[in-house]
Amino acid sequence: MLRLVLLGFLFCDVKGALFYDSYHGVPITIEDVKRHDKTNTTFWCVTEIEPCDPLEGRRVDGSCNNLKNPPRGASHTPFTRILPAIYDKDFEPKKTLSGNEMPLARLLRTRLISVGKVPSQRYTQLAIHAFVFLSGDVVSLHDTVNYILWRPYCCMEKGKSDPYCVPNKIPEDDPVHRFSGIRCLNMTRPESFQSIGCIPKGTTPERIISSTPLIDLSVVYGNYIKNLQEKGRLFKGGLLKFEVDNGRIWPPSSKTTANVCFLNQRPHETRCHDMPEDGGNTLGSINLMAVWFWRNHNFIATELAKVNPCWNDEKLFATARDINIAVFIQMNYYELLPVFLGYENLVKDGVIVPNGGFRDIYNEKVLPQVSLEYPFALRWLHTVQEGSLKMYDKDGHYLKQFPIVNLTLRTGFFGVDNNMDYITQGSFRQGSANIDYIADPDMTEQGLGPHQRVSDLMTNDMAKNRYFGFQPYVKYREVCFGKPVRSFGDLRGIIDPERIEVLREMYERVEDMDLLAGIWTERPIRGGFVPPTFYCLVIDQLRRNIIADRHWYERPNRPNAFNALQLAEIRKITIARILCDVGDTVTKIQPRAFLKAGINNKIDSCNKIPQIDYRAWKDVSCERPLYWNQYKPI
Ligand SMILES: *[C@@H]1O[C@H](CO)[C@@H](O)[C@H](O)[C@H]1NC(C)=O
Ligand SMILES: *[C@@H]1O[C@H](CO)[C@@H](O)[C@H](O)[C@H]1NC(C)=O
Ligand SMILES: *[C@@H]1O[C@H](CO)[C@@H](O)[C@H](O)[C@H]1NC(C)=O
């Protein structure tokens, strides 16, 4: 079987793989590719794909989504922007209107965000896991790896002569570090098509990342078909490879200790996912969700095989993947996002449809891209991230807690001491941190856990705001809501008066305010719980996802589209159902598990949670007499 697949590959390669420039999206010649090979930039700057087949389903590498622009949708597709970039000379962060330096990122962080622990009475930790996983689908972590591993010297003398080092200064009178004496936080410039060497320096830095821009469960299926074939597929029953350990099902684990799970406490902790991409081993939240959606694929494939015993591995795999991605998007759009952004708001703004059924707003002219503002805005969620993962047994008794920041690149922890069970139970029992301007101390001092001595994720967010070259807050405010803000006084009604006073003290003029400073301080949107500018930047992308994705699950006209009955089944999915199906020891849960359990959301048996009826996928051809199948031409 494997040999067959390999042969298939070679054949296609010879027959007509096409090469494109990953930044410009235009075809290039073999000579161009050889030049990139010489400078070792082929991986980043060249997109190699096979010719498109308009009837083919969603490709793992995202290519051929847009038939007029085949490489768009693949990894290394450039971002789009809601507003054009603005920089000082040489693409350094811009100065204030009057030409002075902007206030230090760390100073703004300590003045605008307080530190403490206030539990939410509304959201569960599970909601945050899901949000982090959703952003994990379209970002990558090499900008962090850069200053931890590749340039570990940014706060040292050597860092001063490396133009990629842009560490953050901690002021002398910092509320925490006046006592520690630490004056510097590591950071590097975001990697760009320019820094990697795909396009000449001297033009506006264009961020480069390694995930596909589409919502397609990149963390589970990876971004390259080759990786999926080698590390993902079992080539039996449509399943992904798996291991059973102590009755629990896991993605396969790396068989060497030379893996990315640097913080595994060996010899006790050894597990490290060997998945098509390493994303599943990174943040604790992504790790959990990746395991669940990995299992969910196999759960779906197994159900499909029961309904359609005549389906082969390929058909089962493709259908299970298509359903798994659909279920993932359905859960995000119809369950997760409404509890934060407001159901009515999302209906009004065309992000979700209230009455079920199909919708088709695909527009070939809109490329599959992510706006740079979208993953950036999601960083606001750092204020809602609770630092301690609380663990419970299956009957809801509290057992212990553990800092989530210590679980980055430490998959081994999940694999021992029943931790996976207890963390799963905790995810829907524990509250997240409250939505407010109070951040968990682990987010502001220990964000990378043992990987750094000190790490303030939110200072980092503010500094990145500037290196991404975002226009000032007031410009975004105007694009989103039309009404110009010309003075601090105009912020009344948008931001609480005491916070306007702090902003006035920090910034010379309202036009100097960083985008993130506005998002951090705005009052929540009507009908929802998030800052209005966050809402605006996020729904712009949520809509683009629908318009620009030819394989969007709600479309009746995509290749292998769901029929009405199947789509209606997909729409029954909830995170509660997913945990009932694949979560360790979950036999009871509240129906709306992103929200805390309570009078109208009681923890109850999984039997009461609606489930997908896979008979909607019944293939009548399986019912023909056996000899029909046996003689079917291949
Ligand atoms: C070439 O690039 C790849 C991927 O970026 C990297 O892993 C490898 O170490 C590089 N090789 C050399 C010789 O620089
Ligand atoms: C988490 O990591 C920090 C270092 O960043 C360490 O001091 C602390 O002891 C760790 N906590 C646990 C419970 O392992
Ligand atoms: C900066 O990074 C280096 C290398 O990872 C580390 O030794 C140092 O402690 C870091 N600085 C801080 C303040 O965390």
Side-chain angles (χ1 to χ4, degrees):
M1 189 67 196
L2 192 65
R3 179 145 333 143
L4 259 179
V5 171
L6 284 175
L7 271 178
F9 266 168
L10 290 175
F11 187 59
C12 289
D13 247 26
V14 175
K15 204 174 153 204
L18 304 170
F19 297 102
Y20 292 87
D21 174 293
S22 67
Y23 178 72
H24 294 103
V26 295
I28 53 173
T29 64
I30 289 283
E31 278 63 47
D32 294 324
V33 178
K34 283 188 183 140
R35 258 189 310 111
H36 280 295
D37 282 342
K38 268 202 194 111
T39 53
N40 195 23
T41 50
T42 311
F43 172 75
W44 292 99
C45 310
V46 177
T47 310
E48 180 187 354
I49 59 180
E50 283 159 32
C52 300
D53 168 2
L55 299 179
E56 184 186 11
R58 183 191 290 283
R59 284 189 182 178
V60 173
D61 69 7
S63 66
C64 295
N65 193 299
N66 188 300
L67 293 171
K68 293 248 166 70
N69 295 276
R72 295 309 192 209
S75 56
H76 312 152
T77 296
F79 283 86
T80 177
R81 281 177 184 264
I82 294 172
L83 282 178
I86 176 169
Y87 286 101
D88 200 27
K89 60 176 180 308
D90 298 331
F91 305 106
E92 291 298 328
K94 74 169 186 60
K95 302 225 163 37
T96 66
L97 267 188
S98 63
N100 292 324
E101 292 295 328
M102 292 285 277
L104 287 180
R106 169 79 182 185
L107 176 65
L108 282 169
R109 207 290 287 148
T110 53
R111 291 302 309 274
L112 296 176
I113 301 288
S114 305
V115 176
K117 286 172 106 61
V118 185
S120 170
Q121 299 306 299
R122 181 176 162 80
Y123 302 108
T124 57
Q125 185 73 347
L126 187 55
I128 309 305
H129 293 326
F131 241 127
V132 173
F133 189 62
L134 177 62
S135 56
D137 210 281
V138 294
V139 299
S140 50
L141 296 168
H142 59 250
D143 281 335
T144 306
V145 175
N146 198 356
Y147 63 82
I148 299 182
L149 279 184
W150 302 335
R151 290 185 168 84
Y153 47 74
C154 283
C155 281
M156 299 177 341
E157 201 47 40
K158 183 172 176 200
K160 291 194 182 133
S161 55
D162 185 332
Y164 289 105
C165 281
V166 286
N168 286 300
K169 198 165 167 251
I170 300 181
E172 302 277 332
D173 58 352
D174 187 90
V176 172
H177 291 292
R178 66 179 127 173
F179 302 111
S180 76
I182 294 170
R183 289 284 160 269
C184 175
L185 297 166
N186 292 310
M187 199 176 95
T188 42
R189 268 177 222 273
E191 291 281 16
S192 62
F193 282 91
Q194 286 89 343
S195 66
I196 298 272
C198 298
I199 55 175
K201 300 204 163 67
T203 47
T204 304
E206 297 277 358
R207 191 177 191 209
I208 192 167
I209 63 161
S210 48
S211 328
T212 61
L214 301 152
I215 309 186
D216 54 2
L217 283 174
S218 294
V219 180
V220 170
Y221 300 105
N223 299 305
Y224 298 96
I225 185 73
K226 185 164 169 288
N227 294 4
L228 179 62
Q229 310 274 27
E230 284 172 4
K231 298 197 164 185
R233 289 188 60 174
L234 184 64
F235 292 110
K236 245 171 76 180
L239 299 174
L240 289 166
K241 289 182 188 175
F242 63 96
E243 284 175 13
V244 182
D245 179 8
N246 231 330
R248 291 184 199 92
I249 298 172
W250 296 97
S253 185
S254 163
K255 297 292 173 277
T256 77
T257 48
N259 56 44
V260 297
C261 299
F262 300 116
L263 290 189
N264 276 0
Q265 302 295 299
R266 298 186 173 96
H268 188 45
E269 300 174 2
T270 53
R271 184 160 290 284
C272 191
H273 306 315
D274 194 15
M275 294 167 48
E277 300 284 332
D278 276 332
N281 291 304
T282 56
L283 305 180
S285 295
I286 296 183
N287 202 323
L288 272 177
M289 299 286 299
V291 171
W292 293 333
F293 275 92
W294 187 274
R295 293 172 180 169
N296 202 45
H297 174 99
N298 284 358
F299 178 83
I300 297 167
T302 308
E303 293 298 313
L304 289 173
K306 284 186 211 157
V307 175
N308 297 315
C310 78
W311 280 12
N312 63 13
D313 170 68
E314 189 59 42
K315 176 86 179 160
L316 285 169
F317 185 87
T319 312
R321 172 169 165 263
D322 195 42
I323 295 174
N324 205 17
I325 293 173
V327 152
F328 175 59
I329 301 177
Q330 169 75 23
M331 177 202 86
N332 283 309
Y333 271 63
Y334 287 86
E335 188 181 10
L336 176 68
L337 294 161
V339 299
F340 284 90
L341 278 61
Y343 181 82
E344 297 299 333
N345 291 339
L346 293 181
V347 169
K348 174 176 64 88
D349 289 321
V351 175
I352 56 181
V353 282
N355 304 321
F358 291 113
R359 74 165 144 177
D360 195 354
I361 51 171
Y362 177 64
N363 181 348
E364 193 177 43
K365 298 208 175 76
V366 183
L367 295 177
Q369 283 181 303
V370 175
S371 80
L372 193 57
E373 287 89 348
Y374 165 72
F376 180 75
L378 291 182
R379 290 168 187 242
W380 166 78
L381 284 151
H382 280 143
T383 63
V384 201
Q385 174 77 56
E386 158 67 44
S388 310
L389 271 190
K390 292 196 177 151
M391 297 185 232
Y392 290 77
D393 72 11
K394 65 179 179 14
D395 300 313
H397 300 118
Y398 170 76
L399 300 170
K400 55 181 174 172
Q401 51 184 289
F402 197 84
I404 191 168
V405 295
N406 288 41
L407 294 180
T408 304
L409 301 179
R410 187 174 167 186
T411 299
F413 181 87
F414 294 90
V416 296
D417 304 335
N418 300 332
N419 284 337
M420 189 64 182
D421 305 15
Y422 301 151
I423 291 175
T424 303
Q425 290 289 338
S427 69
F428 59 89
R429 296 176 191 272
Q430 176 191 8
S432 68
N434 203 19
I435 293 189
D436 49 23
Y437 50 88
I438 302 176
D440 192 285
D442 281 4
M443 296 300 120
T444 58
E445 300 300 336
Q446 293 279 292
L448 293 168
H451 295 284
Q452 289 278 281
R453 183 143 169 240
V454 182
S455 166
D456 177 355
L457 297 182
M458 299 178 78
T459 291
N460 211 287
D461 295 342
M462 177 57 81
K464 290 275 170 72
N465 182 133
R466 297 168 180 181
Y467 285 98
F468 287 145
F470 290 133
Q471 293 201 21
Y473 168 67
V474 295
K475 296 282 191 207
Y476 281 95
R477 190 75 214 175
E478 195 165 341
V479 152
C480 288
F481 306 103
K483 213 165 141 213
V485 172
R486 296 210 177 82
S487 66
F488 285 107
D490 287 348
L491 292 175
R492 246 175 274 142
I494 300 172
I495 296 174
D496 288 333
E498 64 275 19
R499 320 217 68 214
I500 298 179
E501 196 174 317
V502 180
L503 290 167
R504 211 190 268 271
E505 191 191 325
M506 291 287 106
Y507 291 102
E508 290 170 14
R509 301 179 51 169
V510 77
E511 292 87 349
D512 292 330
M513 260 178 78
D514 295 281
L515 169 60
L516 189 58
I519 293 179
W520 277 348
T521 50
E522 279 178 347
R523 285 183 185 165
I525 192 169
R526 187 173 303 174
F529 297 85
V530 299
T533 303
F534 169 95
Y535 177 89
C536 161
L537 301 181
V538 168
I539 66 156
D540 171 80
Q541 184 61 40
L542 297 176
R543 270 195 310 235
R544 191 190 331 269
N545 292 339
I546 310 169
I547 295 171
D549 184 354
R550 192 166 58 89
H551 297 292
W552 186 258
Y553 77 111
E554 293 172 308
R555 292 193 70 204
N557 303 318
R558 65 185 181 114
N560 315 315
F562 296 131
N563 63 34
L565 194 62
Q566 293 164 347
L567 183 58
E569 290 301 319
I570 298 282
R571 292 203 189 278
K572 289 184 187 164
I573 205 68
T574 53
I575 189 68
R577 185 70 244 166
I578 293 174
L579 286 189
C580 286
D581 292 338
V582 303
D584 301 272
T585 71
V586 179
T587 54
K588 46 188 184 175
I589 190 168
Q590 66 272 32
R592 287 175 294 144
F594 290 136
L595 298 176
K596 292 199 71 179
I599 305 168
N600 295 318
N601 193 26
K602 281 208 184 83
I603 294 192
D604 204 341
S605 161
C606 279
N607 298 334
K608 301 225 176 115
I609 311 275
Q611 54 185 315
I612 293 181
D613 185 347
Y614 288 90
R615 284 175 301 181
W617 277 265
K618 191 161 187 62
D619 179 350
V620 286
S621 71
C622 286
E623 283 167 359
R624 288 177 197 160
L626 199 58
Y627 54 83
W628 265 94
N629 285 322
Q630 280 168 344
Y631 292 101
K632 213 155 60 177
I634 293 173

